């Protein structure tokens, strides 16, 4: 058995050859940018009117001044020119500022009667209510560097510079493999001795939160059939996620079958609860995560080992988050204890409340938890008010 942090570091050191792929920008949320995004023109591209009103030359305004309205500059029209500096033009938000004007007075601050506009102000600053050309970025500037983790704002920005498809770090080909003869598909009615295969859907859901889609298969507790299936799966996928069949049972064939097919076993057994029998190994071109079958074990190990590996391989930095324990916990075993918790924010502090449960087979209470805090193995008592590393599967 190795300690949790050693297992995490060892796993992170096994990269898959990510490479890059091109996706439509609307599909790029949560992906990591693999090219710099440059401004194709100034931002804004012209002096942009920001309020509906009248455009004037600021130096022309004074007490009792009024302006003949020469016309209207609407958004989407080419720039017009105010012919006489003492005149004005009505302008709409998003329009180009007419030539001859340097500011905008909103309708709320002007009376217009019979084609004559009379501002109720006596002075105005140049470029008031104008979003100046190039004030946000100049043509050719780097707007988003390689490595940016994309969100909707970035997608809007890319669209604004004319990019419809973008180069991002490629996602691995992933398969989720449930093992066990007791499992039936979720849409069928189990016999009394059977259960529904809930871990596959749970893992597919956890992957979806990372933006990863995956195939899934159900494998029986049969050595020969496992050999045949795994021999193919290991070549078709870059990441194989298993649930079950990694413990000490007579039918827990997975570790030995994978090794017989050439998997290098890197980890089998981690000093933690839940998830002690966790398995990690590598083939030439793929990695294997063997999550222990109990649902809490599967989900905790996914977040403790797969998520950090995935993020590291995508180039996504993740800073650790801590939460404060709000009751004293004793766990006198030399294991990291991943304690299921609910998380709340109190006075800007993250507070973790333990979720009572009956162990790693208790899916009911697993579903009520927001995540877990990891209590280190060196101690047996963890005081109320102490902070420990927090991992969540629900956005906090
Ligand atoms: N003698 C020992 N027995 C066990 C040990 C041990 O160290 N010595 N470890 C225990 C721990 S800890 C865990 S966790 C489990 C892990 O077992 P496996 O990974 O071999 O998983 P299975 O035996 O196949 O199943 C365990 C449990 O999980 C349920 N399961 C499995 N797959 C699914 C699924 N897709 N959906 C829902 N539930 C699933 C399965 O029915 C079992 O109840 O071993 C302990 N035993
Ligand atoms: O990994 Mo197990 O969940 O401690 O029963
Ligand atoms: Mg077992």
């Amino acid at each position: 058995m190795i300690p949790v942090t050693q297992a995490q570091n060892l796993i992170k050191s096994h990269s898959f050859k990510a490479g890059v792929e091109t996706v439509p920008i609307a599909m790029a949320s949560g992906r990591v940018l693999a090219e710099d995004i440059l401004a194709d023109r100034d931002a804004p591209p012209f002096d942009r009117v920001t309020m509906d009103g009248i455009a004037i030359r600021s130096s022309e305004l004074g007490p009792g001044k009024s302006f003949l309205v020469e016309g209207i500059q609407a958004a989407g029209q080419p720039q017009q020119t105010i012919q006489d500096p003492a005149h004005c033009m009505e302008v709409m938000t998003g329009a180009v500022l007419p030539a001859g004007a340097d500011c905008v007075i909103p309708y709320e601050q002007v009376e217009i009667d019979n084609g004559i506009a009379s501002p109720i102000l006596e002075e105005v600053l140049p470029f008031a209510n104008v979003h100046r050309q190039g004030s946000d970025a100049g043509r050719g500037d780097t707007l988003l560097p390689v490595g940016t983790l994309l969100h909707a704002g970035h997608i809007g920005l890319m669209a604004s510079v004319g990019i419809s498809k973008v180069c991002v770090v490629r996602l691995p080909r992933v398969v989720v493999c449930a093992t066990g003869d007791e499992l039936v598909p979720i849409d069928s009615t189990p016999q009394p001795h059977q259960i529904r295969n809930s871990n596959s859907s749970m893992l597919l859901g956890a992957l979806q939160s990372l933006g990863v889609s995956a195939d899934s298969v159900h494998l029986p507790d049969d050595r020969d059939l496992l050999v045949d299936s795994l021999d193919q799966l290991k070549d078709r996928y870059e990441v194989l996620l298993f649930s079950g069949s990694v413990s000490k049972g007579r039918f827990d064939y997975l570790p030995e079958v994978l090794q017989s097919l050439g998997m290098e076993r890197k980890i089998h057994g981690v000093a933690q609860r839940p998830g002690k029998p966790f398995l990690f190994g590598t083939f030439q071109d793929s990695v294997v995560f063997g999550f222990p079958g109990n649902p809490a074990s599967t989900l905790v190990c996914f977040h403790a080992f797969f998520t950090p590996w995935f993020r590291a391989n995508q180039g996504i930095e993740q800073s650790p988050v801590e939460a404060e324990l709000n009751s004293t916990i004793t766990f006198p075993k030399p294991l990291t204890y991943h304690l299921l918790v609910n998380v709340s924010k109190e006075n800007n502090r993250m507070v973790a409340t333990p979720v009572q449960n009956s162990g790693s087979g208790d899916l009911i209470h697993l579903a009520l938890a927001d995540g877990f805090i990891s209590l280190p193995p060196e101690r047996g008592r963890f005081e109320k008010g102490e902070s420990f590393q927090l991992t969540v599967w629900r956005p906090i």
Side-chain angles (χ1 to χ4, degrees):
M1 276 202 306
I2 67 168
V4 170
T5 41
Q6 199 180 320
Q8 286 166 328
N9 291 335
L10 196 154
I11 291 169
K12 272 196 264 181
S13 71
H14 289 280
S15 52
F16 88 101
K17 297 181 196 80
V20 298
E21 64 179 324
T22 300
V23 298
I25 57 167
M27 305 296 287
S29 215
R31 301 295 297 272
V32 175
L33 197 56
E35 61 176 324
D36 287 334
I37 301 298
L38 308 184
D40 67 330
R41 52 186 191 151
D42 290 344
F46 49 81
D47 283 338
R48 187 181 70 91
V49 170
T50 67
M51 299 288 269
D52 306 310
I54 60 164
I56 62 164
R57 184 171 290 194
S58 56
S59 57
E60 292 292 321
L61 189 58
K65 274 289 190 82
S66 43
F67 299 80
L68 177 77
V69 179
E70 282 190 8
I72 298 181
Q73 173 87 55
Q77 285 180 341
Q79 186 187 40
Q80 300 181 51
T81 301
I82 299 176
Q83 301 303 328
D84 184 327
H87 291 174
C88 72
M89 191 167 287
E90 287 188 58
V91 288
M92 304 302 134
T93 303
V96 184
L97 185 71
D102 68 359
C103 67
V104 172
I105 301 176
Y107 280 133
E108 293 85 337
Q109 294 173 340
V110 63
E111 281 161 15
I112 301 181
D113 187 26
N114 224 0
I116 305 290
S118 308
I120 56 177
L121 314 170
E122 296 191 352
E123 56 182 333
V124 62
L125 290 173
F127 300 104
N129 301 311
V130 176
H131 188 187
R132 295 219 59 191
Q133 174 171 352
S135 60
D136 296 335
R139 180 179 174 190
D141 284 356
T142 299
L143 303 177
L144 301 173
V146 165
T148 303
L149 178 59
L150 296 170
H151 58 59
H154 297 135
I155 290 172
L157 180 56
M158 291 191 285
S160 78
V161 299
I163 288 171
S164 57
K165 288 183 182 154
V166 65
C167 199
V168 291
V169 177
R170 189 173 67 79
L171 297 174
R173 292 189 301 277
V174 182
V175 65
V176 167
C177 311
T179 64
D181 287 347
E182 74 279 29
L183 305 176
V184 297
I186 56 173
D187 50 4
S188 63
T189 307
Q191 299 291 311
H193 55 280
Q194 296 176 323
I195 59 166
R196 294 192 178 91
N197 169 15
S198 53
N199 285 352
S200 288
S201 301
M202 184 173 72
L203 286 172
L204 292 171
L207 287 164
Q208 193 207 9
S209 311
L210 296 174
V212 178
S213 53
D215 294 335
S216 71
V217 294
H218 174 204
L219 305 170
D221 290 325
D222 178 300
R223 191 187 270 111
D224 295 337
L225 291 176
L226 272 182
V227 170
D228 289 347
S229 303
L230 295 181
D231 197 20
Q232 294 182 26
L233 292 172
K234 74 175 184 7
D235 297 331
R236 291 231 304 270
Y237 295 94
E238 291 157 307
V239 177
L240 295 95
L241 302 183
F242 292 93
S243 87
S245 197
V246 294
S247 185
K248 306 268 187 226
R250 295 257 186 239
F251 310 106
D252 291 338
Y253 296 126
L254 195 61
E256 76 173 75
V257 167
L258 287 166
Q259 279 175 264
S260 76
L261 292 169
M263 183 192 79
E264 240 181 88
R265 191 186 72 185
K266 304 288 184 186
I267 298 171
H268 193 188
V270 175
Q272 60 177 357
R273 178 178 294 172
K276 200 157 85 172
F278 172 71
L279 173 77
F280 176 76
T282 57
F283 286 104
Q284 183 82 22
D285 294 314
S286 57
V287 292
V288 171
F289 291 79
F291 304 128
N294 276 321
S297 245
T298 298
L299 192 60
V300 164
C301 288
F302 178 92
H303 284 92
F305 302 115
F306 176 77
T307 303
W309 174 85
F310 172 76
R311 293 218 162 109
N313 271 284
Q314 289 282 300
I316 302 171
E317 281 177 30
Q318 195 185 13
S319 23
V321 179
E322 291 202 332
E324 197 178 293
L325 202 50
N326 80 345
S327 63
T328 295
I329 297 288
T330 51
F331 184 72
K333 289 200 161 68
L335 305 172
T336 296
Y337 185 30
H338 302 299
L339 175 69
L340 295 183
V341 294
N342 286 126
V343 186
S344 54
K345 270 201 187 125
E346 288 172 24
N347 302 327
N348 255 346
R349 289 158 24 242
M350 298 279 235
V351 174
T353 305
V355 173
Q356 298 307 320
N357 62 85
S358 60
S360 58
D362 179 357
L363 189 46
I364 306 299
H365 292 96
L366 175 68
L368 296 178
D370 298 323
F372 55 91
I373 55 171
S374 299
L375 307 177
E378 302 82 28
R379 298 160 46 187
R381 190 180 162 89
F382 307 92
E383 303 292 342
K384 176 178 177 169
E386 285 190 89
S387 291
F388 299 98
Q389 192 180 330
L390 171 72
T391 306
V392 288
W393 42 69
R394 179 178 79 83
I396 299 296

